[in-house]
Amino acid sequence: MDLPVDEWKSYILQKWSLLPKSIQVTISTAETLHDLFLHSSPLLQPEDEMFLKRLSGGYLVGKDPDASLFYREKGNQKFQAKDYMGAAVLYSKGVSHSGPSSTDISLCYANRSAALFHLGQYETCLKDIVRAQTHGYPERLQPKLLLRKAECLVTLGRPQEASQTVIDLESSFAAKPTLSASQFQILQRILCRVKVKVQEKENLPEIFPEALTKTFEGVDLREENEQIPGASSSVSLHVDPLKGRYLVATKDILPGELLVKEDAFVSVLNPGEVPLWPRGLESKWDIQVTNGDLHCHRCLRHTLAPVPCDGCSYAKYCSQECMQQAWDRYHSVECSLGALLLTLGLFCHVALRSTLLARFEDVGKVTKKLCGEMSNQGICLPESKNPVQTLKYDLGGEGDKKDKAVETPIPGCDINGKYERNYNAIFHLLPHTENHSPEHKFLCALSVSALCRQLEAAGLQAFTTDLKPTKLKAAEPPVLCAELSVWGVAMLRHMLQLQCNAQAITTIQQTGSKESLITDTRRVRLATALFPVVSLLNHSCSPNTSVSFIGTIATIRASQLIRSGQEILHCYGPHESRMGVAERRQKLRSQYFFDCDCPPCEREKQRPSAGPGRGAFRCHRCRALLQGDDVLSCSGPACMESVSRDLLVSRLQDLQRQVGAAQKHLRNGRLEVAIQLLLGCQSDAESFLSAEHSVVGEIEDALAQAYAALGDWEKSATHLQKSLQVVEVHHGPSSVEMGHELFKLAQVFFNGCAVPEALKTIQKAEKVLLVHYGPWNDEIRELQKMKSCLLDLLPIPVGPKE
């Protein structure tokens, strides 16, 4: 959740309503963020902090040995049921709740290594074996662990290491016969099998295969822009008094060309629905799996074997290196505040982390900027109403006390006009203070004040202007120390910025049954981040770019031909293929504070009935489209049929409920029941919906999945092709949605051994997906594997006999 939990929001809104009118006016009319923070912060009383503390207490983020045992036992149940993926996740939860160098953590690591072994994750399994041993895995259980290590090494083609492990194990048996006779016999049999495998491997030359593919990080821009780091030389930066900063093509750009590749300045993992402790219930631990259990909290990489923070159970990382980097840069401060940050929401967390990361740049300049703008000039962290600003930098030596003013045409650029992909660029993102409601600003100001009080009470060196381990000076509440007040204003600025400037980092997540041969996916929000260069792009409801992510790295590619001089645009969310013009404009106005006048919006305003029949109804008599507002009339020349819109909307809602019920049966494996329901839905939809209606496509897609699960590939392909027609009408033939649907059709043809059709569809899907993702996308790699397999099946043509 972006904003604080509902209970805190309601509490602060009530507090606002009880304030004297004069104080409300003072806060509402504050001209600067410094004034807003100065007037709001003293209003946070001890009883408010106690209420917030009680709310935060519902989040269990500390270490708990009882939780470790609970999750280990739940993992064992999954393991025995051969659900190794589920077992690995639960063992990871046990690891997170265990203290370092404890028996609990060593047992969880060892058990997780067993689950990873069965999942074929041999390298990761070896790492967990080492971790279990490092944390004091019991001596009596070591033989099992060493056998698993030997089997991993054999499978990975490392026979010398496996042989040494076997020798160590035999020596251990001889030196410490701690096993019972039956256990010894079982392990001896396994050991003999491993030794045979080792001997077989030793007779073969050891091969160290090179990486099969380049890593994503190796994909670079063809030619990087000298003035905009992380952007292509095909774009340039411009500024306009109304539009602000924006990017323009300096030459014709072809579809698929990489325009921006940028690592986030700051990102915070979206925790998902982190459950609160249900007080009064026997079990306070939840086995629900969230993004926080499956992704590194620093680099966002997917991992089945996270390494936990030593101080809390919430933060998890893909490696020891990521954990150390996070600790050094921000988590040493955040660790003790985990429950509070979950309560105050993602925006507050991103605001805190942004200021923490600022310490690692030119600290003197950052502090000077913040303090300088709180000077007697009265321009304390203001928004720029004019995009042309004058920034002051000390260009002289120590003896030069005189600042030289250098005019820079675009905020966020240095004195040479180069756009800075750093805290300076983040600082200059507009918070739009005048557009936020007084209540929202008060909520943000008190949330930041509460966070600052906690930092001060903990005596953390969060905001010291050097990086030495000094502590904040104590101050009597409710007055914050001067330095912390400066950074509090900065955090307030960032929190207000995020509504318009936050970028959701998304990932493609597989949905449906694990056993399904046809991949169904959805896009999910993984994290909230700030990207200095990506933030330069303006919105269009029909953008000419496509944005994708690998970890914290964003890439922007041209999704169509962009002519020289055209603006580079992407979509902030409301897209013409997903909603009508009125809904789009309302959403953009409420979140981003502007009225969209992009070509699709202008076109739809002039011709409201234009565009695809995404929500079109048709006459049940003559099948012609129905037109009108509250009462719809048939557009057929000879038909006089009319019907209430409310009646049709009610019928559509009933149909959607039936489709949802059928999809639930499909997910639970009740295929015949699902098919019968879906065929009924299909018949009902044909009687009153246009053939291009999105619900029609949804029904056809579900039928395709059901028939695929039954192995009826021909029927599956027929329904999926109908779904493709709907997707093309709504999103266009070159859209990313079309690429995903073509990928599914290729899978159907491949599994049905329809070789020519599969090869043709693979080619179409590759062409579309390459434009949006480049060659390193998982679906593109899968398409290439299918194509290689099919080409091997094709008969080699025989030439004419001479």
Side-chain angles (χ1 to χ4, degrees), residues 79 84 91 109-119 125 148:
F79 189 91
Y84 301 119
Y91 290 142
Y109 273 134
N111 287 10
R112 191 172 74 182
S113 75
L116 293 167
F117 180 84
H118 285 282
L119 290 168
C125 175
R148 191 176 302 137

Side-chain angles (χ1 to χ4, degrees), residues 385-520:
K385 295 180 180 177
N386 187 333
V388 178
Q389 293 185 342
T390 298
L391 303 179
K392 293 185 177 181
Y393 295 83
D394 185 3
L395 302 180
E398 291 184 6
D400 189 352
K401 303 292 183 183
K402 196 173 183 180
D403 287 340
K404 299 180 182 179
V406 180
E407 194 168 285
T408 60
I410 300 178
C413 291
D414 65 13
I415 57 176
N416 298 312
K418 183 175 182 178
Y419 188 70
E420 296 182 294
R421 200 172 62 186
N422 57 13
Y423 185 73
N424 183 43
I426 295 298
F427 183 83
H428 279 94
L429 296 174
L430 294 180
H432 295 281
T433 311
E434 73 283 359
N435 292 311
H436 292 286
S437 69
E439 294 86 351
H440 178 74
K441 288 186 283 191
F442 186 63
L443 170 67
C444 292
L446 258 62
S447 297
V448 169
S449 297
L451 182 55
C452 288
R453 298 268 182 88
Q454 286 299 306
L455 287 167
E456 193 168 35
L460 297 170
Q461 66 271 21
F463 302 105
T464 179
T465 54
D466 59 19
L467 300 180
K468 298 175 184 177
T470 56
K471 294 186 177 181
L472 293 170
K473 295 179 179 179
E476 291 296 325
V479 180
L480 295 172
C481 65
E483 187 176 271
L484 200 53
S485 293
V486 173
W487 290 95
V489 176
M491 282 195 284
L492 176 58
R493 179 182 180 88
H494 296 319
M495 198 169 177
L496 294 174
Q497 285 173 337
L498 284 161
Q499 179 166 319
C500 295
N501 294 286
Q503 173 68 55
I505 294 179
T506 59
T507 186
I508 300 296
Q509 191 176 83
Q510 187 170 339
T511 60
S513 170
K514 297 176 186 175
E515 292 76 27
S516 176
L517 293 170
I518 306 304
T519 302
D520 200 18

Side-chain angles (χ1 to χ4, degrees), residues 138-298:
E139 188 70 27
R140 60 186 173 80
L141 301 175
Q142 287 283 348
K144 285 197 303 183
L145 211 58
L146 290 173
L147 278 173
R148 191 176 302 137
K149 179 180 179 181
E151 289 196 84
C152 281
L153 292 167
V154 169
T155 308
L156 291 168
R158 291 152 63 178
Q160 285 81 9
E161 293 174 72
S163 180
Q164 184 59 52
T165 303
V166 168
I167 293 169
D168 294 342
L169 187 54
E170 289 179 319
S171 301
S172 176
F173 281 166
K176 298 177 181 178
T178 56
L179 300 173
S180 66
S182 60
Q183 290 175 318
F184 182 76
Q185 288 174 1
I186 293 170
L187 287 174
Q188 279 283 45
R189 285 198 296 271
I190 299 173
L191 180 58
C192 289
R193 189 172 72 242
V194 173
K195 287 172 72 175
V196 170
K197 288 182 180 178
V198 171
Q199 289 169 0
E200 290 173 352
K201 289 283 184 180
E202 284 180 332
N203 293 330
L204 297 172
E206 191 162 0
I207 300 171
F208 296 92
E210 295 181 4
L212 296 176
T213 56
K214 296 179 181 178
T215 59
F216 176 81
E217 285 78 1
V219 182
D220 289 318
L221 298 159
R222 289 181 183 175
E223 187 178 343
E224 190 165 359
N225 197 304
E226 293 182 0
Q227 295 299 106
I228 316 169
S232 163
S233 59
S234 302
V235 302
S236 61
L237 180 58
H238 294 248
V239 68
D240 179 88
L242 297 178
K243 291 168 64 174
R245 302 172 299 181
Y246 62 100
L247 296 180
V248 171
T250 58
K251 63 179 184 179
D252 289 353
I253 297 171
L254 298 176
E257 183 176 333
L258 184 60
L259 301 179
V260 175
K261 179 192 170 188
E262 181 183 26
D263 200 353
F265 172 82
V266 61
S267 64
V268 174
L269 186 76
N270 177 19
E273 294 299 323
V274 178
L276 287 166
W277 174 16
R279 299 181 188 279
L281 298 182
E282 286 186 11
S283 176
K284 57 185 178 182
W285 304 297
D286 192 90
I287 59 173
Q288 175 185 340
V289 180
T290 67
N291 285 334
D293 298 312
L294 299 173
H295 293 269
C296 176
H297 286 221
R298 192 193 77 83

Side-chain angles (χ1 to χ4, degrees), residues 55 90 351 397 432-433 533 700 706 780 798:
L55 288 178
L90 288 169
H432 295 281
T433 311
V533 177
E700 297 295 343
I780 291 173
V798 179

